[in-house]
């Protein structure tokens, strides 16, 4: 009897609880701002970029967050931890609104950290999550992308993973001139409008050679078999162990259920690029109740004064 129950449980897909957030990058595009501060802590309006990503994971039901960090990343741990002195000061002042904001980032999720050690690529960073994740499916969220907080992309990906028992990536149609900046997918359609089956993947194809304009954006729902594949994955583009190469193996290997893509049609903010970072802040701020009205008014006055 017990044996039957156990088999049934093993056969069932487990609802995801774990999110892995690689955050070991050096952030050289933002120097000197990132000389002594992790790029993930750069504010997007008044919240560090990383908090949007953790909030997105939590909104999709993922309450266990593992960050893959490196040297100079202590501020990340501090941000998601209590700051007794600050909390006491705000409490003494009766500033409950700010106190709530400070406490919120502490209570968001169950946070864990592991260091990447050698910077051997995104695939290597994900492999560092193996001990923590074990044999469960899990999500990977890259910190440079912020998905419109109102959009349920990650929940949709988790649903597709559960329905198809497969790994799932988020795909975005990009300007073909930009495709060389991404992992690019060749796909075939399925019976669902927003879901495609991946038949081929190439990491950052040379300009002009991309097989499509469907780019992987930084959201993945992965079966634990990815760890077995990553362990065998040889350095690829840029001499790094590429998650894209391991996904191609999952997509084409016979035993892993394939890889599907959810085609994302919502808004995504790229905070990894300086110009897009500035645009992200403006777009998110104009929609806020506290800052939006004044900022919109100012932008309307300011824009006509601009000369080429
Ligand atoms: C990584 C992945 C790439 C993906 C991109 C999304 O590249 O390797 O396949 O398209 O994230 O942001 P990175 O931007 O870290 O170089």
């Amino acid at each position: 009897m017990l044996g039957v129950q156990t088999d049934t449980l093993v056969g069932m897909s487990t609802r995801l609880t774990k999110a892995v957030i690689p955050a070991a990058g050096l952030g050289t595009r933002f120097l000197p701002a990132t000389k002594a501060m992790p790029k993930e802590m750069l504010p997007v309006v008044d919240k560090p970029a990383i908090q949007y990503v953790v909030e997105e994971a939590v909104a999709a039901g993922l309450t266990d967050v593992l960050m893959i960090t490196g040297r100079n990343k202590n501020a990340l741990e501090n941000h998601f931890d209590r700051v007794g002195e600050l909390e006491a000061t705000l409490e003494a002042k009766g500033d409950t609104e700010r106190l709530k904001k400070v406490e919120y980032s502490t209570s968001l999720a169950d946070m864990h950290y592991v260091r990447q050690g050698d910077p051997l690529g995104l695939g290597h960073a994900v492999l560092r999550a193996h001990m923590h994740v074990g044999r469960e499916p899990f999500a990977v969220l890259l910190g440079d992308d912020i998905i419109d907080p109102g959009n349920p992309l990650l929940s949709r990906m988790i649903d597709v993973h559960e329905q198809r028992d497969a790994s799932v990536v988020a795909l975005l149609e990009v300007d073909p001139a930009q495709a060389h900046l991404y992992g690019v997918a060749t796909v075939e359609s399925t019976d669902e409008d927003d879901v495609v089956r991946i038949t081929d993947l190439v990491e950052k194809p040379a300009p002009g050679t991309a097989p499509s304009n469907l780019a992987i954006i930084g959201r993945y729902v992965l079966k634990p078999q990815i760890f077995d594949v990553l362990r065998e994955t040889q350095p690829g583009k840029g001499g790094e162990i590429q998650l894209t190469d391991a996904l191609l193996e999952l997509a084409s290997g016979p035993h892993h259920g394939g890889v599907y893509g959810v085609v994302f049609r919502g808004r995504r903010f790229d905070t990894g690029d300086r110009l897009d970072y500035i645009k992200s802040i403006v777009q998110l701020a104009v929609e806020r109740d506290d800052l939006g009205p004044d900022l919109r008014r100012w932008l309307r006055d300011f824009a006509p004064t601009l000369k080429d």
Side-chain angles (χ1 to χ4, degrees), residues 11 29 74 84 92 106 118 129 146 153 155 170 190 216 232 257 259 272 301:
R29 279 189 272 182
N74 294 345
T106 312
D118 300 318
I146 293 178
L153 170 65
S155 297
T190 69
I216 302 178
E232 305 294 325
V259 178
D301 291 344

Side-chain angles (χ1 to χ4, degrees), residues 14-18 60-62 136-139 158 161-162 221-222:
T14 340
R15 185 75 193 174
L16 265 76
T17 56
K18 289 180 181 163
L62 311 178
E136 291 173 31
F138 63 105
I158 293 171
H161 154 74
E162 288 181 347
V221 174
L222 300 174

Side-chain angles (χ1 to χ4, degrees), residues 122 142 145 181-183 203-204 216-218 220 242 244 268:
L122 179 59
L142 304 189
D145 286 315
L181 301 171
Y182 299 91
E203 177 67 10
K204 303 204 177 89
I216 302 178
I217 51 170
Y220 308 78
Q242 297 293 349
T244 303
R268 158 226 185 212

Side-chain angles (χ1 to χ4, degrees), residues 20-31:
V20 172
I21 304 183
L26 295 177
T28 45
R29 279 189 272 182
F30 282 87
L31 281 169

